[in-house]
Amino acid sequence: MSTAPAADVEVHLGDLGFGRGAHLLVQRALAGLPPGGRVAVSGRDPALPVHLPAWCRGRGHRVEWPDLGDRSDLVAVVVRGTADDDRWFGAERAGPALPSALSSRPPARWGLGARGALLEAGGPEARFDLDDRDLVWADVAPHLYAQAAARQWDPQTAVPWDDPFALPADVEAAVVQVMTYLVENEQAALVVPARFVGRIHPHFREVVQLLAVQMADEARHMEVFNRRALLRGAELGTSSAGGRQSLFTLVAESDFALASFLLSVLGEGSFVDLLSFLHQNAPDPVTRRVCWLAMQDERRHVVFGMAHLEHQAQLDPRLRDRLRAAIHRRHDALADTAGLNADVFDALVVLAAGGWHPDDVSTGFDRVQALQHAMDQGRQRRLVRLGFRPDEAAALSALHTRNFM
């Protein structure tokens, strides 16, 4: 009379074969046993005598075939080996999974592993030069990423492209000129984070995710500004050499903190004021809407830039010296350029004027000057938050590029 073989666990596979997932049941049974533990496996798949031992050999387990007489289903005993344990000898966790307990300087061997995962020893050492928590992190990053992901908008449906409106040709030309300027600036605002996102250690993935969404924001802004520019015509406006030179100084900055400072704190901070101005003075519903949508995104970019630099400034008292030097260096590089494209300035006056009576133009000019003052005051406030004295903040703000971004 046959008896069941001695085993700690029994697994009945029925007709399930290894080609359709039977190994998962055997693997599950073995997982709870120490080396030397025994699992009795029974099944009716004709290929089981071939597939079971082959699978076991590949994973370091041993198979025994006890004599069970006239039993109709095949029964084998799998004896757990040590290969699985040996594989994970020397493995380590890639830090904690939650962002509340980040490693201050994750090693290169963690680079391409998911944060918090158990990493098998022997993988590649992926080098990410921005691997210092204090250089890239801000505690608000996870929240900002969640907010940014939830507030993505579709350029096709979020803007009333088909709303009827008709503008005088000269007003439409002013809109086209401003949109051209905005496209150029958003191109630079996309390129700057793109230069850094591949250098940040993935351990700080919320920052990488946030910058990736920021790049997507800028791509959308470029699309809607370009689309508005071509909504009633086939050509864009003018592009000044000085304006492009100003943007080039942003793209050329290789230091993450300084690039964030010049772009987000000074440039995009001023841009938020500009987009608010355009929203208020837009002559048509499409222009008004695209400026409002872009403004919401740009505010989030400024929040991260400020939070990142405030965090770093608390830990590195020399940061302000570097920020100050960056402003002076950029000012000197742009000293011989014309600054803001005159066509852009005039277009802003036209939009703010709302008419061609001398009094209207005078009002438009005053409003653009008020915009520039508001930009300056905003930069000063942000500089003070970073630890600059009010008088120095005023002096440094005055050195900011006349191209706004």
Side-chain angles (χ1 to χ4, degrees), residues 87-130:
R87 176 190 175 190
W88 296 104
F89 179 78
E92 63 177 326
R93 291 280 174 189
L98 297 177
S100 56
L102 293 173
S103 172
S104 60
R105 195 149 202 167
R109 63 181 178 274
W110 290 5
L112 297 178
R115 188 177 68 213
L118 182 63
L119 304 182
E120 182 181 7
E125 293 204 355
R127 301 288 177 177
F128 297 90
D129 62 304
L130 294 176

Side-chain angles (χ1 to χ4, degrees), residues 184-216:
E184 283 189 350
N185 282 265
E186 297 292 29
Q187 285 178 163
L190 187 155
V191 171
V192 171
R195 295 192 64 208
F196 294 101
V197 72
R199 294 172 50 192
I200 299 174
H201 197 297
H203 187 72
F204 310 113
R205 66 168 180 259
E206 289 82 1
V207 173
V208 175
Q209 291 169 310
L210 184 58
L211 292 179
V213 174
Q214 182 171 324
M215 291 158 58

Side-chain angles (χ1 to χ4, degrees), residues 218-357:
E218 308 298 9
R220 279 200 316 277
H221 301 170
M222 290 163 57
E223 176 184 348
V224 296
F225 293 149
N226 188 74
R227 186 168 174 178
R228 171 60 189 93
L230 300 176
L231 193 62
R232 294 290 188 267
E235 292 183 346
L236 296 185
T238 64
S239 169
S240 69
R244 296 196 306 277
Q245 181 63 32
S246 178
L247 296 177
F248 180 77
T249 60
L250 288 178
V251 174
E253 179 55 65
S254 61
D255 183 283
F256 182 60
L258 300 185
S260 297
F261 174 63
L262 295 175
L263 175 64
S264 298
V265 176
L266 297 181
E268 289 181 312
S270 297
F271 233 57
V272 168
D273 293 322
L274 174 60
L275 291 169
S276 177
F277 172 90
L278 292 172
H279 175 254
Q280 294 169 14
N281 293 282
D284 64 85
V286 174
T287 300
R288 185 176 305 110
R289 181 62 174 170
V290 296
C291 290
W292 186 87
L293 289 168
M295 180 174 61
Q296 309 312 307
D297 294 336
E298 297 293 350
R299 283 173 172 166
R300 186 171 57 250
H301 304 172
V302 175
V303 169
F304 174 68
M306 284 296 300
H308 157 234
L309 290 169
E310 284 178 308
H311 171 80
Q312 193 172 346
Q314 292 174 354
L315 302 171
D316 182 7
R318 298 170 298 178
L319 176 64
R320 277 181 289 277
D321 293 334
R322 295 171 55 217
L323 300 180
R324 183 185 302 108
I327 291 178
H328 283 281
R329 187 165 57 247
R330 190 182 188 205
H331 176 265
D332 292 344
L334 298 175
D336 295 329
T337 63
L340 181 68
N341 183 350
D343 292 340
V344 175
F345 184 91
D346 291 348
L348 293 175
V349 172
V350 169
L351 296 180
W356 289 102
H357 189 277

